[in-house]
Amino acid sequence: MVKSVTLREAWSGEADCLNCSLRTSVLFAGLAESDFEQIHDPIDQFTLKPGTSLYRTGDAADHMFTVRTGVLKLVQYLPDGSQRIVRIARTTDVLGLEAMLEGGTYQHDAIALQPTEVCRFPARLVRDLGCNNPDLHRELISRWQRALNEADAWLTELSTGSARQRIARLLLRLVRDRESSACQLFSREDMGAMLGITTETASRTIAEFKRQSLLVETDPNRFLLDIPNLKRIAEG
Amino acid sequence: MVKSVTLREAWSGEADCLNCSLRTSVLFAGLAESDFEQIHDPIDQFTLKPGTSLYRTGDAADHMFTVRTGVLKLVQYLPDGSQRIVRIARTTDVLGLEAMLEGGTYQHDAIALQPTEVCRFPARLVRDLGCNNPDLHRELISRWQRALNEADAWLTELSTGSARQRIARLLLRLVRDRESSACQLFSREDMGAMLGITTETASRTIAEFKRQSLLVETDPNRFLLDIPNLKRIAEG
DNA sequence: CGTGGAATTGACCTGTCTCAAGAATCGTGG
DNA sequence: CCACGATTCTTGAGACAGGTCAATTCCACG
């Protein structure tokens, strides 16, 4: 289940690393061939089954991850046991940025929603290189800013307005920057946890959208979106 | 209204710079005296009246700010014109981290809620020094992580549960890490925008808390909190 | 087939929104 | 210093969205 590749192989940019967001970044670009010999921390490659967690809140954060394929949810829990999904990670997203702080801990549970492949690399690697390599440094900053923008967007877009609006905005967000309007939905329970509504309300609203043909089911649990009309609802 | 101080004065650590969070950080610590001569970007010091904006969404982000005294809200707007407050900045908080990305723009309106003093410094300064000074680098990362944690907390704590719970959590958050349980409240409208509820609901709930002596008004608009009972409500 | 979990749907109830009308507070200018 | 207009806060009454609880259907899987 855990396939290990050496840094040298990562550097070669072969195969699966094509989609690795850090490959196109300059993480390895500044290193001489000889440097690779000195780094013997392996880069591991995981495959997570749906429902499996990549890490848990409070775990010592010493690794960072890149999502190759699949989707993960980042979850936080309230004292009363209810949960809130604060972000979603998809292809090329980086997880565990908090590992940049020495001695830090993860701030969420990261749980796969689909079969998901991730690359794992030691945070120390990035910490050591980050300061000396301006391009990597910039890339890190940019990632952080993106995470922050996402967090803010979840507040303003996905936690504001009626349930109809929130679900419409969530759907639109799922197909943004995609060629097609096709997407597969999350479980009703997860939708609820993302939007701050109950699973029943999520279910009812999705059902209503289907009746109104705002959502058309092509394959089981795969849908085409009526983007213009969903936009109308989202901004209502 | 705009008082200008030179970097050398900042370095001397006199007067108002005592509370400056970047003073205790290593931003200037790594610089030799002689370096200061070469930096002629002034550090400006502003005083904002309540309701005044420090910057607006979309403005070119070329400066960062440290809050000396007072409070600011970070606001985002929805297409329908409604607003959501996504964060609050108080003493020693840094604003405008997005200026670290070259060519970036501010992601919020930053608006003073009280008479507020801020320091303004060019982002280029931090960009240039950040990479070479490991301590500053670490401090920046830490700030970013803190902002992200705040954003997540606003989702899980302040946008989840009943209005009673949200308001209780907001109140508790206002006095956290404070010696006393005294605090002054925001306008009902701002509370609503922070919690995703209407001003009427905010007002009603605050009034109810007063009746139950969970809030005791000492001076006009200054309150003492019944922390244990508020906690009970917050977690209820 | 039978079983367990998710999704759907219904009926009812309650919290919050909406609209609207007073009360209080603040800033301003006389 | 007071009076006035403008906000903001408070409070009420009614409507409605969404929550709650429960029953049913659907579906994947052994």
Side-chain angles (χ1 to χ4, degrees):
Chain A
M1 182 178 171
V2 179
K3 173 186 162 196
S4 192
V5 296
T6 68
L7 238 194
R8 176 173 291 280
E9 288 179 61
W11 166 252
S12 72
E14 284 178 358
D16 288 316
C17 289
L18 272 173
N19 280 325
C20 186
S21 63
L22 286 193
R23 195 197 69 94
T24 60
S25 87
V26 283
L27 176 54
F28 305 138
L31 298 180
E33 277 278 315
S34 62
D35 291 331
F36 282 91
E37 314 296 345
Q38 299 167 19
I39 299 170
H40 46 269
D41 279 311
I43 294 184
D44 291 325
Q45 180 178 330
F46 290 82
T47 302
L48 300 173
K49 293 197 230 295
T52 313
S53 72
L54 185 55
Y55 53 78
R56 296 271 178 188
T57 308
D59 287 355
D62 40 17
H63 290 273
M64 291 169 52
F65 307 86
T66 303
V67 182
R68 286 177 185 295
T69 63
V71 186
L72 299 108
K73 59 177 173 182
L74 299 188
V75 188
Q76 284 188 338
Y77 299 90
L78 288 163
D80 70 359
S82 61
Q83 61 173 264
R84 196 75 207 256
I85 299 176
V86 300
R87 232 163 304 142
I88 288 294
R90 299 198 283 184
T91 312
T92 74
D93 285 335
V94 173
L95 288 176
L97 280 175
E98 51 264 65
M100 279 298 290
L101 284 94
E102 217 147 352
T105 57
Y106 295 117
Q107 302 297 313
H108 319 91
D109 284 14
I111 299 174
L113 296 179
Q114 302 170 8
T116 296
E117 295 176 311
V118 298
C119 268
R120 184 185 75 172
F121 46 94
R124 199 182 46 66
L125 206 70
V126 186
R127 272 204 296 269
D128 292 349
L129 300 175
C131 232
N132 303 321
N133 188 321
D135 291 318
L136 172 58
H137 183 257
R138 195 180 317 118
E139 182 66 16
L140 277 171
I141 294 287
S142 162
R143 296 268 170 195
W144 230 296
Q145 181 57 34
R146 207 177 309 171
L148 203 48
N149 284 342
E150 274 293 299
D152 290 341
W154 278 59
L155 241 200
T156 45
E157 293 179 22
L158 302 185
S159 301
T160 309
S162 69
R164 277 172 61 86
Q165 289 177 311
R166 298 186 195 186
I167 291 205
R169 296 195 195 113
L170 176 62
L171 292 174
L172 290 171
R173 182 165 270 272
L174 287 181
V175 301
R176 227 180 32 180
D177 317 320
R178 290 278 172 82
E179 59 294 342
S180 118
S181 79
C183 68
Q184 67 176 300
L185 299 187
F186 305 115
S187 80
R188 303 299 174 265
E189 189 177 357
D190 281 339
M191 285 193 177
M194 292 177 203
L195 305 174
I197 62 181
T198 58
T199 74
E200 291 95 328
T201 300
S203 175
R204 273 186 250 269
T205 309
I206 291 292
E208 184 200 334
F209 282 4
K210 282 194 219 164
R211 277 190 296 271
Q212 298 172 330
S213 301
L214 297 166
L215 281 174
V216 179
E217 191 158 15
T218 55
D219 301 290
N221 202 35
R222 293 203 60 86
F223 296 86
L224 287 178
L225 308 189
D226 178 351
I227 297 183
N229 281 313
L230 284 173
K231 275 195 177 142
R232 202 159 302 131
I233 292 174
E235 307 188 353
Chain B
M1 181 178 172
V2 179
K3 173 185 161 198
S4 193
V5 295
T6 68
L7 240 195
R8 176 173 289 280
E9 288 178 62
W11 165 253
S12 72
E14 284 177 357
D16 287 316
C17 289
L18 272 172
N19 280 324
C20 187
S21 63
L22 286 192
R23 194 198 70 93
T24 61
S25 87
V26 283
L27 176 54
F28 306 138
L31 298 179
E33 277 277 315
S34 62
D35 291 331
F36 282 91
E37 315 295 345
Q38 298 167 20
I39 300 169
H40 46 269
D41 280 310
I43 294 183
D44 292 326
Q45 180 178 332
F46 290 83
T47 302
L48 300 172
K49 292 198 232 294
T52 314
S53 72
L54 185 56
Y55 53 77
R56 295 271 178 187
T57 307
D59 286 356
D62 40 18
H63 289 274
M64 291 170 52
F65 307 86
T66 303
V67 181
R68 285 178 186 295
T69 64
V71 186
L72 299 108
K73 60 177 174 183
L74 299 188
V75 188
Q76 284 188 338
Y77 299 90
L78 287 163
D80 69 359
S82 62
Q83 61 172 267
R84 193 79 205 253
I85 298 176
V86 300
R87 233 165 303 142
I88 288 294
R90 298 198 284 184
T91 313
T92 73
D93 286 335
V94 173
L95 287 175
L97 280 175
E98 51 264 66
M100 280 296 291
L101 285 94
E102 217 146 353
T105 56
Y106 295 116
Q107 302 296 313
H108 319 92
D109 284 14
I111 300 175
L113 297 179
Q114 301 170 6
T116 296
E117 295 176 311
V118 298
C119 268
R120 184 185 75 173
F121 46 94
R124 199 182 44 65
L125 206 68
V126 186
R127 274 204 296 268
D128 293 348
L129 298 175
C131 234
N132 303 321
N133 188 320
D135 291 319
L136 173 58
H137 182 257
R138 194 178 321 119
E139 182 66 17
L140 277 171
I141 294 289
S142 161
R143 296 268 170 196
W144 230 293
Q145 181 58 35
R146 207 176 310 172
L148 204 47
N149 284 342
E150 274 293 299
D152 290 340
W154 278 61
L155 241 201
T156 45
E157 294 179 20
L158 302 185
S159 299
T160 310
S162 69
R164 277 172 60 85
Q165 289 177 311
R166 298 187 195 186
I167 291 206
R169 296 195 195 113
L170 176 62
L171 292 174
L172 290 171
R173 182 165 269 272
L174 286 181
V175 300
R176 226 179 33 180
D177 317 321
R178 291 276 172 84
E179 57 295 341
S180 117
S181 78
C183 69
Q184 66 177 300
L185 299 186
F186 306 115
S187 80
R188 304 298 173 264
E189 189 176 0
D190 281 338
M191 285 192 176
M194 293 176 203
L195 304 175
I197 61 181
T198 57
T199 75
E200 291 96 327
T201 299
S203 176
R204 273 187 249 269
T205 308
I206 291 291
E208 184 200 334
F209 282 4
K210 282 194 219 167
R211 278 190 297 267
Q212 298 172 331
S213 300
L214 297 166
L215 281 174
V216 178
E217 191 158 18
T218 55
D219 301 291
N221 202 35
R222 294 203 59 86
F223 295 86
L224 288 178
L225 308 189
D226 178 350
I227 297 182
N229 282 311
L230 284 172
K231 276 195 176 142
R232 201 159 303 130
I233 293 175
E235 308 188 354

